[in-house]
Amino acid sequence: MIIIANGMLRSGSTLQYNIAAMVMEMRGPLQRSGFMGDFSKPETRAKLDKLKAAEGWSIVKTHEAPLPREFYNERVRVLFSYRDVRDIAASIRKKWDPPFEKILSQIDAMIEIKAAFAEIPGVLMQPYDLLFHDIPSATRQIAYHLGTEVTDAEVCAIANALSVNALNNTGPEDVGFFSRFVSRIVRRDYDNKTLLHADHISATGGREGDWANQFSGDEIARLEAHYSEWLKAHDYRASHCS
């Protein structure tokens, strides 16, 4: 059986991956299979089919478009994260600094993938706002989606471990998720268990609204015009709204 943590780039899919992994690890063995790209490759599809057929749970992370509809059945659980596309654009600029037109084309592709997953029954869609601001609620939703329950103590343990604030907890009593591997990330740039890397969380701590600082007025106008309908449909305000 397999859990697929998917989502738009820079929208919290790695957090979803880790929440789901921690929930299931509290129930028994789980294989963290890490990131998988290019589902069109026969060898990747074979790995996914093998994980799906296995009796035990596994989890993978990806940003790929959905497989053919027949792949998704009771042995597959899909999580999908999304975010204000202006914040995604800002995060992409800060991390990779591609040309503005490439940022637009990347977001266009993400929107198409999200729309395709929205047509598949049983996909749990979670906004970045929820994942970032309310890990306990996000955790309960994910647990329910995976067919299990979590106690209040387990929810608190997961929320405390995965909070961005855990980065600042370096005291001897700290049992935070980040503090246990941050020194390894600094040395290696990437942690195979959590899929986090040294600059995974931006200098602004993942806060929303930094697009206002990353783009010119003309670029913001282009973003909001290009994605006007999407922003409205997902209840994200345009910059000129009070």
Side-chain angles (χ1 to χ4, degrees):
M1 295 179 286
I2 185 171
I3 304 162
I4 300 175
N6 205 318
M8 303 172 88
L9 283 173
R10 314 299 292 166
S11 71
S13 57
T14 303
L15 179 54
Q16 276 188 321
Y17 176 93
N18 283 287
I19 292 173
M22 291 184 72
V23 165
M24 299 309 287
E25 285 166 346
M26 289 173 172
R27 300 293 170 267
L30 172 82
Q31 178 180 330
R32 293 192 184 219
S33 298
F35 184 86
M36 288 190 186
D38 199 352
F39 283 6
S40 65
K41 289 184 176 180
E43 57 268 31
T44 303
R45 177 60 190 270
K47 288 179 183 178
L48 291 168
D49 287 337
K50 183 177 180 179
L51 293 173
K52 176 183 171 182
E55 287 306 311
W57 281 101
S58 62
I59 185 168
V60 303
K61 183 196 166 185
T62 190
H63 295 295
E64 293 290 303
L67 290 164
R69 186 70 62 90
E70 61 268 18
F71 178 82
Y72 300 95
N73 60 21
E74 69 281 355
R75 302 187 66 83
V76 181
R77 298 288 185 274
V78 180
L79 313 172
F80 195 95
S81 61
Y82 65 93
R83 187 182 187 183
D84 184 331
V85 291
R86 295 166 298 185
D87 282 316
I88 292 177
S91 188
I92 289 173
R93 171 163 282 184
K94 285 185 287 185
K95 186 168 177 60
W96 296 295
D97 195 26
F100 185 72
E101 297 299 332
K102 184 173 181 180
I103 293 174
L104 294 182
S105 66
Q106 286 179 306
I107 294 174
D108 288 346
M110 293 178 218
I111 287 174
E112 288 185 10
I113 290 172
K114 180 182 181 296
F117 271 108
E119 295 180 358
I120 298 174
V123 174
L124 177 61
M125 296 272 180
Q126 290 184 305
Y128 177 89
D129 318 61
L130 173 71
L131 291 160
F132 185 78
H133 292 293
D134 193 355
I135 292 177
S137 292
T139 298
R140 290 187 178 93
Q141 286 184 3
I142 288 171
Y144 182 81
H145 185 65
L146 299 179
T148 188
E149 295 181 355
V150 281
T151 66
D152 289 345
E154 289 170 336
V155 169
C156 287
I158 291 171
N160 289 336
L162 297 177
S163 168
V164 171
N165 292 331
L167 280 169
N168 298 321
N169 295 335
T170 56
E173 300 302 317
D174 173 61
V175 292
F177 166 80
F178 289 107
S179 66
R180 291 197 296 270
F181 66 83
V182 67
S183 62
R184 286 185 290 144
I185 291 180
V186 169
R187 293 195 302 270
R188 298 187 320 185
D189 295 327
Y190 184 75
D191 185 81
N192 289 323
K193 179 179 180 181
T194 64
L195 310 186
L196 286 164
H197 41 79
D199 61 346
H200 206 115
I201 299 172
S202 69
T204 57
R207 293 192 305 274
E208 302 98 316
D210 196 43
W211 49 267
N213 303 313
Q214 296 298 320
F215 297 105
S216 68
D218 287 345
E219 287 173 327
I220 291 171
R222 284 191 63 192
L223 279 168
E224 294 189 333
H226 191 70
Y227 299 113
S228 174
E229 293 304 315
W230 194 92
L231 290 167
K232 288 178 184 176
H234 293 82
D235 296 322
Y236 293 117
R237 286 186 176 186
S239 59
H240 59 268
C241 294
S242 58

